[in-house]
Amino acid sequence: MRLIYIIIFTLISFNSFSQLSMQGVVKDSLGNPLELANVIAINESTEALESYAITNEDGRYKLALSKNSSYNIQVSYIGMKTHTEKVSTIEESLTKDFTLQVDNSLDEVELTYEMPVSVKGDTLIYNADSFKNGTERKLEDVLKKLPGVEVNDEGQIEVEGRAVTKVMVDGKDFFDGDSKLATKNIPSNAVDKVQVLKNFAEVGQLSGVTENRDNVAINIKLKKGKESFWFGNVTAGAGAANSDDLYLIQPKLFYYNPKYSINFIGDMNNLGEVAFTRRDYFNFTGGFRMPSRQSGTNINLGNNNLGFLTLQNNRAKAIETKFGAANFSYSPTSTLDISGFAIFSNSQTELEENNSITYTDPGLQIPDETTNSNTIQNSDLGMLKLSAKYKPNGNNQLDYDVVGRVSRESQNRGVLSSILGNTDQIEETDPYSINQNLNYYYTLNEKNIFALEAQHLIQDEDPFYNAILESTQDYENVANALGLDPNQTGYNIAQDKRVKSNQLDAKLDYYYVLNQKSNLNFTAGSILSRQQFNSTIFQFLDDGSVYNPDPLINDGLNENDIDYRFSDIYIGTHYRFKTGMFTFNPGISAHAYSTKNEQYGEAYQDNFFRILPDIDIRMEVKKSEQIAFSYAMQNQFTDVTNLARGLVLNNYNSISYGNPTLENAVSHNVNLFYNSFNMFNYTNVFGRLNYSKRIDQIRNLTDFESVVRLNSPFNSGFADETFSASGRYQRTFKKIRAQVNGNFNYSKFNQFVQGNRTLNESYTQTYGAQLRTNYRDAPNVEISYSYTIQDNDQGSRRTKFYTSAPSIEFDAYIWKKLTFRTDYTYNNFSDENGTLRSFQFWNASLSYRNNQDAKFEYILNATNLLDTRSQANSNVGNISVSATEYYIQPRYITFRLRYEI
């Protein structure tokens, strides 16, 4: 580590002592400062662009130049004649102003060099080659070097603190804008420009009457010659570890022309390189958004997926994946666009975990528990979408989308508990869903705009759960309560569940434009939902027969057969207007709600009316700096499983029964956001505050028998609150980018255990710092440090965990042929008594290609060089805090061959 710090210090020192600055003001012929003028410096000896700047609102620029050198300075501005001047540096910094004249000619001015960054209205345009040094292989590697752009560990893109909502390639959606598939797969050598589209409007007709300043899209412009033929790469690799043969096959093929495009991404490996996780699948919206998302109503259809153990940073004891995805777009005419995608993912995963569970209140006499689990997971996930957009003219647009999802998943898990002994669990499910979306936008004239949006969802879920407990003595009291047959060698209990959901969500918006600075919006909409839920708990006996028990609890109600209907008919209005630097958008909506559930021959119905206010305020301090404030009152409705009166076996140590008289919860949500991006000195600052207060929140009355819990939901009369704050400050100093960031999360919620109410509070703090170099010809280093504090005050017990994680990445392009990349991370996981677990990861790769345009590249890749076998983290639950150690794949060394198409 000491050697690496010396390298960083040397690079920074070299950068600092060998350069000076040239600064000044760019004006027009009347002496007015010109904002967003481009200033570039071309080194006469190397003929390379050495420095560039964009003027701020005062017309000021600043260039970083080398000492004792000569430069051609070019100053340009739209509508002005480009000014060119020679400048020589000695030992001291320079001050020089420029005056540009109006260009009355119609001829375009051809510049020898392109600006690395330019601004056109709300669009930032990055010239990708200006930030490459030869070590890049995918889009992610390029984006990380762009000022104001970040790519997180999940591959999601952020611009100036806002998540990118859409990724396009040459104006065509790339897998409906999923940023991870784009960042991890698009080859860097195909990227010419990266266009950041701020204030992005999905529908151009609504751009002037809706608030779009939170919407950011990215469009990847391909290089010339990459526009009408196939490009991409195919990677194949092999290796050996212990007695296992390692393999990897990754084809990534792309075809684009002005009329249609085809993309294919494939991945088969047993190295743990997961291209598409279960989390990606369930978070993948397919471009869908609920029409009623801003109406104030939030209805939860529940999540009846398996209780899969999740991967920790894509690491497990063993992972084998197969992934294939295809995306197409076709424009048969100038008015019709057709597109779609298909995604399939198969994974076989082995996980092993050691878990130490500490319950919050010793006075409740719930024993702390340690468990060891071994799990085998099989998952097949499929998704198919077709879309059509018809836009015959600027006043009409019709969109239709349909997406289908299907999956088959199973999980076999063996758990050894210090309290309950050995338990084997089997889970299986084969759900499917079909989601359709129809939108029509009509502009009658410049004053009147109409928008119809409707979405229909059909969903069918059928999870099966089976638990086999070897010890009858440790589970005896629970078995008696469930009415199980005790005269068996063990308890073999199971449950079939079926949840069918059918929901229609539609609204009609009318926008009346009062003038250029204000408009009225009137909304009428409805949400109609129906859910049917069936479940049965039963027992497999030793002779192979099936026994249906009669529980001694919950009034003997075992089975569920419930029909739940929900409707929300609403109208709303918003008045959006601008005055000075402020934009106000207050609104109100009136809702007529109806809920009804029928079960066991009884009907429970509730009809009521509620008014929900909201407001959005924007202050544009200047074009690249703004403050946004919003408040919204929401009604939150639960799903059918919380209403079902019969017993539900969540797993062997968690049983629940519902409450048919549950009411909705009300939440008050306040958000404050600030962002600023200074193109003059490339300073990127953002901060966010969020506060939520939930009234009549649905909480569980929980009773424990040993470590087995029995839950029943109810509307708590005690308010729950959450508060979060996050921020980042990023500044570029010549070729060095520095960043500090922080996050704070606080939650206060009421828990009801063994008939007692406890107030639980949780504090999580994360602080980070990063230093990154961005040299074109020298090696580059990125050093980061992250420190997390988890402080949990739950009942009469308090726990505190600390995670310290320094890391470093290094890459070098050697002799224009070799690319060396390596990264190292150290993690220290501790509590107030000292270190609980420390672990470290070191990865490295060395690749060779004859030149930048070579077709073949030869790669030696090593992961987990230190052969770390496990890592640890902590989790905070409503009732307990756990520390988990999970085992991961060993050292893998593979040889790979990549062929560029």
Side-chain angles (χ1 to χ4, degrees):
M1 287 292 290
R2 180 178 296 179
L3 176 61
I4 296 176
Y5 284 119
I6 293 173
I7 293 172
I8 296 173
F9 178 77
T10 302
L11 290 173
I12 295 174
S13 300
F14 174 80
N15 182 73
S16 301
F17 293 118
S18 66
Q19 289 191 319
L20 50 80
S21 66
M22 172 179 166
Q23 57 185 321
V25 177
V26 178
K27 304 177 182 179
D28 62 17
S29 58
L30 300 178
N32 300 314
L34 295 175
E35 184 181 5
L36 303 180
N38 296 329
V39 185
I40 61 177
I42 302 168
N43 191 304
E44 282 193 331
S45 60
T46 64
E47 296 185 351
L49 189 153
E50 184 164 314
S51 185
Y52 67 95
I54 297 176
T55 58
N56 64 7
E57 65 273 15
D58 299 320
R60 297 194 62 82
Y61 74 92
K62 187 175 183 180
L63 298 173
L65 305 178
S66 300
K67 297 178 180 178
N68 302 309
S69 301
S70 297
Y71 295 92
N72 286 319
I73 306 297
Q74 292 183 357
V75 186
S76 60
Y77 187 81
I78 297 175
M80 300 283 185
K81 292 181 179 179
T82 298
H83 179 86
T84 303
E85 185 173 330
K86 290 187 177 181
V87 171
S88 296
T89 62
I90 306 177
E91 297 287 335
E92 297 179 353
S93 296
L94 304 174
T95 299
K96 190 168 185 60
D97 297 338
F98 297 97
T99 300
L100 300 186
Q101 304 296 323
V102 175
D103 188 2
N104 295 317
S105 66
L106 298 178
D107 296 332
E108 292 185 0
V109 177
E110 183 177 344
L111 298 179
T112 307
Y113 289 86
E114 288 188 86
M115 278 291 292
V117 185
S118 57
V119 182
K120 292 183 179 179
D122 290 327
T123 302
L124 270 175
I125 304 172
Y126 296 93
N127 181 36
D129 285 344
S130 299
F131 298 91
K132 297 177 185 177
N133 69 349
T135 63
E136 304 81 11
R137 294 297 181 269
K138 52 193 175 183
L139 176 62
E140 176 182 38
D141 300 328
V142 178
L143 294 179
K144 286 182 176 181
K145 298 181 178 182
L146 306 183
V149 180
E150 289 292 319
V151 181
N152 62 26
D153 293 337
E154 298 296 324
Q156 305 300 321
I157 308 170
E158 292 182 357
V159 173
E160 300 171 23
R162 288 186 169 90
V164 170
T165 57
K166 180 184 285 290
V167 176
M168 299 173 286
V169 177
D170 272 355
K172 298 178 175 64
D173 283 3
F174 188 82
F175 286 95
D176 271 326
D178 181 75
S179 59
K180 180 177 179 179
L181 286 178
T183 58
K184 299 292 186 181
N185 294 286
I186 294 177
S188 61
N189 61 3
V191 179
D192 181 30
K193 302 285 192 303
V194 177
Q195 297 177 331
V196 175
L197 313 175
K198 300 181 183 180
N199 304 332
F200 179 74
E202 286 277 0
V203 182
Q205 292 162 261
L206 303 182
S207 60
V209 293
T210 56
E211 184 54 67
N212 303 303
R213 275 179 282 189
D214 289 333
N215 300 338
V216 181
I218 281 183
N219 182 42
I220 306 301
K221 296 291 292 182
L222 300 175
K223 288 189 173 181
K224 293 181 180 179
K226 301 288 186 182
E227 295 172 346
S228 296
F229 62 91
W230 288 97
F231 66 95
N233 57 65
V234 178
T235 303
N242 300 326
S243 59
D244 298 326
D245 292 328
L246 305 176
Y247 68 89
L248 176 141
I249 302 173
Q250 294 176 332
K252 301 174 183 179
L253 308 173
F254 310 89
Y255 180 84
Y256 278 84
N257 73 20
K259 201 166 187 177
Y260 63 91
S261 67
I262 301 172
N263 307 298
F264 175 76
I265 301 168
D267 195 320
M268 297 174 58
N269 74 83
N270 61 352
L271 303 172
E273 298 184 12
V274 184
F276 197 71
T277 66
R278 292 182 73 252
R279 179 185 300 175
D280 296 331
Y281 175 82
F282 290 109
N283 289 343
F284 197 94
T285 64
F288 277 60
R289 60 187 187 277
M290 299 298 290
S292 61
R293 68 192 185 281
Q294 295 177 338
S295 71
T297 298
N298 183 0
I299 179 171
N300 180 15
L301 295 183
N303 181 353
N304 296 285
N305 303 320
L306 300 187
F308 258 41
L309 295 178
T310 56
L311 301 179
Q312 304 292 334
N313 297 322
N314 291 340
R315 296 190 180 106
K317 191 173 182 180
I319 308 174
E320 185 171 1
T321 65
K322 298 178 180 67
F323 172 74
N327 173 225
F328 82 93
S329 65
Y330 175 53
S331 303
T333 69
S334 61
T335 61
L336 178 63
D337 292 316
I338 301 172
S339 62
F341 64 77
I343 294 175
F344 172 77
S345 174
N346 167 266
S347 63
Q348 301 176 39
T349 307
E350 181 182 356
L351 302 104
E352 182 179 353
E353 293 187 352
N354 294 323
N355 201 13
S356 176
I357 306 169
T358 301
Y359 288 90
T360 57
D361 193 340
L364 299 176
Q365 298 182 345
I366 306 170
D368 293 340
E369 182 183 19
T370 59
T371 64
N372 171 262
S373 66
N374 289 272
T375 305
I376 301 295
Q377 297 175 350
N378 288 278
S379 177
D380 292 315
L381 307 171
M383 190 186 313
L384 176 68
K385 181 182 178 184
L386 295 174
S387 302
K389 177 186 291 185
Y390 178 61
K391 192 170 184 178
N393 51 57
N395 294 331
N396 290 270
Q397 180 175 319
L398 178 66
D399 300 337
Y400 174 75
D401 309 281
V402 58
V403 61
R405 298 171 182 257
V406 63
S407 64
R408 174 175 294 176
E409 298 187 293
S410 65
Q411 175 173 265
N412 295 341
R413 187 182 185 202
V415 179
L416 176 59
S417 165
S418 61
I419 306 297
L420 296 178
N422 281 312
T423 302
D424 292 326
Q425 300 175 79
I426 301 170
E427 297 179 80
E428 297 174 346
T429 187
D430 299 283
Y432 73 86
S433 68
I434 300 174
N435 202 338
Q436 299 180 81
N437 198 60
L438 178 68
N439 301 325
Y440 176 58
Y441 307 97
Y442 173 60
T443 302
L444 178 63
N445 50 47
E446 63 180 15
K447 290 284 188 179
N448 300 278
I449 303 172
F450 297 87
L452 172 66
E453 299 177 326
Q455 184 175 151
H456 181 231
L457 171 67
I458 297 175
Q459 186 170 277
D460 193 336
E461 302 165 289
D462 62 344
F464 168 78
Y465 176 79
N466 181 206
I468 305 169
L469 293 97
E470 292 184 3
S471 174
T472 58
Q473 181 178 357
D474 296 328
Y475 204 69
E476 183 176 2
N477 292 338
V478 177
N480 290 337
L482 291 175
L484 302 181
D485 185 345
N487 302 311
Q488 307 295 314
T489 56
Y491 290 115
N492 188 338
I493 56 177
Q495 177 179 245
D496 273 318
K497 290 198 298 185
R498 188 74 175 271
V499 183
K500 295 182 178 181
S501 304
N502 191 326
Q503 181 169 304
L504 176 65
D505 186 347
K507 70 167 184 169
L508 175 65
D509 279 300
Y510 166 59
Y511 299 92
Y512 179 67
V513 180
L514 298 171
N515 51 54
Q516 290 185 344
K517 293 189 176 182
S518 63
N519 66 269
L520 288 169
N521 169 217
F522 300 96
T523 304
S526 67
I527 307 173
L528 305 176
S529 177
R530 181 184 183 186
Q531 286 190 291
Q532 296 168 289
F533 174 48
N534 296 275
S535 71
T536 303
I537 298 175
F538 52 93
Q539 181 182 7
F540 292 109
L541 303 182
D542 291 346
D543 61 6
S545 62
V546 174
Y547 172 65
N548 294 310
D550 293 318
L552 301 180
I553 57 174
N554 192 36
D555 297 326
L557 301 180
N558 178 7
E559 298 181 355
N560 280 298
D561 185 1
I562 175 174
D563 191 319
Y564 171 50
R565 298 172 185 264
F566 168 88
S567 71
D568 172 23
I569 310 298
Y570 62 91
I571 58 173
T573 182
H574 286 80
Y575 174 47
R576 182 170 177 264
F577 63 97
K578 298 180 180 179
T579 174
M581 65 175 63
F582 290 94
T583 300
F584 294 89
N585 190 11
I588 193 169
S589 58
H591 299 254
Y593 293 107
S594 177
T595 64
K596 182 180 181 180
N597 69 85
E598 297 178 83
Q599 50 186 317
Y600 288 101
E602 297 183 60
Y604 304 85
Q605 189 165 357
D606 188 16
N607 301 308
F608 63 98
F609 180 82
R610 181 151 293 165
I611 294 178
L612 302 175
D614 66 272
I615 188 171
D616 184 272
I617 303 173
R618 309 279 170 142
M619 184 174 70
E620 193 170 49
V621 182
K622 49 190 175 184
K623 192 172 184 64
S624 58
E625 182 179 12
Q626 68 165 304
I627 300 172
F629 169 85
S630 66
Y631 163 79
M633 182 178 175
Q634 283 190 325
N635 268 359
Q636 298 174 315
F637 294 85
T638 187
D639 71 305
V640 66
T641 58
N642 275 331
L643 302 171
R645 293 175 59 192
L647 291 176
V648 175
L649 187 67
N650 302 309
N651 57 54
Y652 73 96
N653 62 2
S654 177
I655 304 162
S656 64
Y657 60 91
N659 180 353
T661 62
L662 284 177
E663 298 177 350
N664 68 287
V666 176
S667 66
H668 300 275
N669 306 288
V670 180
N671 300 280
L672 182 65
F673 179 79
Y674 168 83
N675 78 290
S676 172
F677 183 48
N678 190 327
M679 295 289 290
F680 174 68
N681 55 18
Y682 291 103
T683 300
N684 181 21
V685 183
F686 84 85
R688 189 187 304 273
L689 301 175
N690 298 294
Y691 171 77
S692 177
K693 183 175 183 178
R694 298 179 299 279
I695 302 169
D696 292 329
Q697 177 79 357
I698 294 177
R699 283 292 176 195
N700 281 315
L701 293 170
T702 303
D703 289 303
F704 273 85
E705 172 58 45
S706 182
V707 292
V708 181
R709 69 186 71 184
L710 178 66
N711 294 320
S712 178
F714 77 108
N715 290 104
S716 169
F718 300 91
D720 296 335
E721 298 176 78
T722 60
F723 172 78
S724 65
S726 61
R728 181 170 66 216
Y729 178 88
Q730 185 184 90
R731 178 77 181 268
T732 299
F733 303 90
K734 300 177 182 178
K735 298 296 184 181
I736 311 294
R737 183 192 297 183
Q739 174 181 299
V740 292
N741 60 274
N743 294 275
F744 173 79
N745 291 278
Y746 167 77
S747 67
K748 181 180 75 173
F749 57 91
N750 295 271
Q751 189 64 47
F752 302 84
V753 183
Q754 312 290 64
N756 298 316
R757 181 180 77 92
T758 58
L759 182 64
N760 296 347
E761 295 180 289
S762 174
Y763 308 81
T764 302
Q765 305 168 63
T766 301
Y767 306 98
Q770 183 185 89
L771 193 67
R772 179 191 302 171
T773 66
N774 191 19
Y775 295 102
R776 287 183 60 88
D777 300 317
N780 284 295
V781 176
E782 176 184 309
I783 183 168
S784 305
Y785 179 75
S786 175
Y787 185 69
T788 301
I789 305 171
Q790 288 185 309
D791 190 352
N792 313 292
D793 188 357
Q794 300 177 302
S796 60
R797 176 172 286 182
R798 185 165 189 166
T799 59
K800 208 167 188 178
F801 295 102
Y802 308 88
T803 302
S804 176
S807 65
I808 189 164
E809 295 182 20
F810 177 86
D811 67 77
Y813 191 42
I814 307 168
W815 304 318
K816 304 295 183 181
K817 296 179 185 294
L818 292 174
T819 299
F820 175 68
R821 306 184 73 162
T822 186
D823 62 86
Y824 171 82
T825 302
Y826 175 80
N827 289 265
N828 183 273
F829 180 61
S830 61
D831 62 11
E832 293 178 295
N833 297 319
T835 297
L836 299 173
R837 178 77 175 156
S838 64
F839 49 93
Q840 52 191 334
F841 295 102
W842 180 26
N843 306 307
S845 68
L846 180 66
S847 63
Y848 169 83
R849 59 181 177 182
N850 193 44
N851 54 62
Q852 287 273 11
D853 299 321
K855 293 291 187 181
F856 287 96
E857 182 173 16
Y858 308 91
I859 308 161
L860 185 65
N861 191 83
T863 58
N864 194 10
L865 274 166
L866 301 175
D867 205 24
T868 300
R869 293 303 180 95
S870 67
Q871 60 186 88
N873 69 359
S874 64
N875 295 288
V876 181
N878 293 347
I879 299 173
S880 62
V881 176
S882 63
T884 304
E885 177 187 25
Y886 49 94
Y887 294 85
I888 61 175
Q889 292 170 293
R891 179 193 302 116
Y892 284 162
I893 299 177
T894 57
F895 174 77
R896 307 180 185 192
L897 175 65
R898 177 185 287 122
Y899 176 74
E900 296 290 340
I901 296 174

